[in-house]
C-alpha cells in the first residue's frame, strides 16, 4: 500500500469530502508503522485489489489528538459520494481501534494522486474554518482484508457510438451503468481532461453542492467520448 499525506494549496474534493487548506505532511512514528497528518490518502496495491466489487474490512489504530470524529471516504461502486463521519470511541484515550466495513469497494485509483481511500479529522474539515492544534490524527497498523466476492465479469460485446451535430463530430459526457449502478472503467478511447494538477478519464458530478447540473442516474461518474466506446467489459444489463 502507498500512503500520501497531502498539502492542499486549494480545495480538493473526492467522494463528497471537502478538506480545508490543510497541512498534511507525514510524521513517521513507532517504527514507521504510524503516520500523522490532516489529509491522509491511501493507494491499495493494484495486484492485491483493483476494480473489485465486494465488501472489504479495514482496521487500524487511531490517536484522536482531541478529535471526536473523522471523515472517511473511499472509491465505491455505484455511489459517487461515499463518505461518512466516523465517531472516535474516546477522544481522551491515547489510542482507539477502528474497524470499518467498506461495502462495494472498488479501489480503481479514482481519487487524488490515484488513491483509493482517505481520512480527514474533523478539525481539518472546511466547516470549522480553522486549523487548531487538534487538526491531525495518527493512524497505525492499518490492515485490509478482502472477501473475494467480486463477480467474474466477461466482455460480451462492443458497440460503436458516434455523436455529431451540424458542425461535425462532437465530444459528449456520458455514463454506462449496469443494473447495480456499476460503471465499467473507460478504455483509452475516452477523452482525457484536466482535474487540478492531474489528467483523468473519469470523474463525477458532486450532488452535495448546489448548482450542479442534473444527471439521470444516481451514479454520477462520467467519462467523455468522441467516437468509439470500448469499455473493459459490457454486461447484458448495461444501459446508457
Amino acid at each position: 500500500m502507498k500512503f500520501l499525506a497531502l498539502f492542499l494549496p486549494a480545495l480538493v474534493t473526492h467522494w463528497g469530502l471537502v478538506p480545508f487548506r490543510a497541512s498534511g505532511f507525514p510524521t513517521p512514528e513507532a517504527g514507521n508503522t504510524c503516520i500523522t497528518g490532516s489529509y491522509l490518502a491511501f493507494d491499495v496495491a493494484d495486484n492485491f485489489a483493483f476494480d473489485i466489487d465486494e465488501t472489504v474490512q479495514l482496521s487500524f489504530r487511531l490517536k484522536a489528538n482531541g478529535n471526536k470524529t473523522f471523515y472517511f471516504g473511499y472509491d465505491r461502486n455505484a455511489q459517487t459520494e461515499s463518505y461518512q463521519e466516523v465517531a472516535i470511541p474516546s477522544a481522551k484515550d491515547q489510542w482507539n481501534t477502528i474497524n470499518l466495513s467498506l461495502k462495494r469497494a472498488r479501489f480503481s485509483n479514482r481519487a487524488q494522486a490515484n488513491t483509493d481511500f482517505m481520512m480527514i479529522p474533523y478539525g481539518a474539515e472546511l466547516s470549522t474554518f480553522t486549523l487548531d492544534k487538534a487538526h491531525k490524527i495518527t493512524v497505525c497498523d492499518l490492515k485490509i482484508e478482502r472477501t473475494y466476492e467480486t463477480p467474474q465479469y466477461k466482455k460480451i460485446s462492443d458497440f460503436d457510438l458516434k455523436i455529431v451535430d451540424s458542425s461535425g463530430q462532437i465530444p459528449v459526457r456520458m455514463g454506462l451503468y449496469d443494473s447495480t449502478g456499476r460503471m465499467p472503467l473507460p478504455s483509452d478511447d475516452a477523452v482525457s481532461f484536466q482535474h487540478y494538477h492531474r489528467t483523468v478519464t473519469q470523474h463525477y458530478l458532486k450532488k452535495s453542492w448546489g448548482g450542479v447540473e442534473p444527471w439521470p442516474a444516481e451514479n454520477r461518474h462520467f467519462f467523455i467520448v468522441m467516437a468509439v466506446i470500448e469499455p473493459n467489459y459490457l454486461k447484458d444489463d448495461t444501459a446508457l
Side-chain angles (χ1 to χ4, degrees):
M1 179 185 297
K2 181 174 66 176
F3 164 78
L4 291 154
L6 303 176
F7 175 75
L8 304 177
L11 293 180
V12 179
T13 64
H14 290 291
W15 306 309
L17 292 172
V18 186
F20 194 71
R21 294 187 179 189
S23 163
F25 294 109
T27 304
E29 297 183 25
N32 294 322
T33 63
C34 302
I35 205 78
T36 298
S38 59
Y39 190 83
L40 310 182
F42 299 83
D43 176 28
V44 179
D46 289 352
N47 60 4
F48 174 72
F50 177 76
D51 196 23
I52 60 175
D53 189 357
E54 64 187 62
T55 299
V56 171
Q57 304 298 333
L58 190 70
S59 65
F60 52 92
R61 293 190 302 122
L62 182 141
K63 186 177 181 181
N65 296 329
N67 290 282
K68 295 181 179 179
T69 63
F70 68 95
Y71 293 93
F72 180 87
Y74 68 101
D75 187 5
R76 174 174 174 159
N77 287 280
Q79 187 174 339
T80 51
E81 298 184 66
S82 57
Y83 68 95
Q84 58 180 309
E85 186 175 358
V86 181
I88 299 173
S90 176
K92 294 181 180 179
D93 290 345
Q94 191 77 354
W95 294 100
N96 295 269
T97 298
I98 306 295
N99 295 291
L100 299 174
S101 183
L102 312 185
K103 306 295 184 183
R104 300 202 66 185
R106 184 156 196 174
F107 295 166
S108 56
N109 307 331
R110 293 192 290 186
Q112 186 73 11
N114 300 322
T115 53
D116 294 307
F117 63 88
M118 62 183 61
M119 307 177 201
I120 303 172
Y122 181 79
E125 208 271 338
L126 178 64
S127 61
T128 64
F129 290 99
T130 186
L131 290 177
D132 57 25
K133 63 181 180 181
H135 75 279
K136 296 181 180 180
I137 54 174
T138 300
V139 174
C140 301
D141 303 329
L142 191 146
K143 297 182 176 69
I144 299 178
E145 183 179 351
R146 289 189 56 181
T147 56
Y148 293 96
E149 297 172 344
T150 298
Q152 295 298 311
Y153 296 108
K154 64 179 181 179
K155 188 175 181 180
I156 62 170
S157 63
D158 292 328
F159 70 97
D160 295 343
L161 177 65
K162 184 174 291 186
I163 303 97
V164 297
D165 65 4
S166 58
S167 61
Q169 191 170 310
I170 58 173
V172 296
R173 183 170 59 193
M174 63 177 293
L176 290 166
Y177 313 101
D178 66 18
S179 58
T180 72
R182 176 180 165 96
M183 186 174 83
L185 296 178
S187 69
D188 293 338
D189 296 315
V191 177
S192 60
F193 58 98
Q194 199 72 22
H195 178 251
Y196 292 92
H197 71 285
R198 66 189 186 122
T199 301
V200 299
T201 56
Q202 185 178 178
H203 200 49
Y204 73 93
L205 298 172
K206 280 185 61 65
K207 193 175 182 179
S208 56
W209 282 6
V212 175
E213 56 266 46
W215 193 250
E218 281 300 312
N219 186 354
R220 299 169 69 83
H221 277 101
F222 66 86
F223 55 96
I224 299 175
V225 297
M226 287 287 290
V228 178
I229 311 300
E230 195 174 321
N232 291 340
Y233 66 86
L234 191 62
K235 293 173 61 181
D236 55 4
D237 61 355
T238 300
L240 174 64

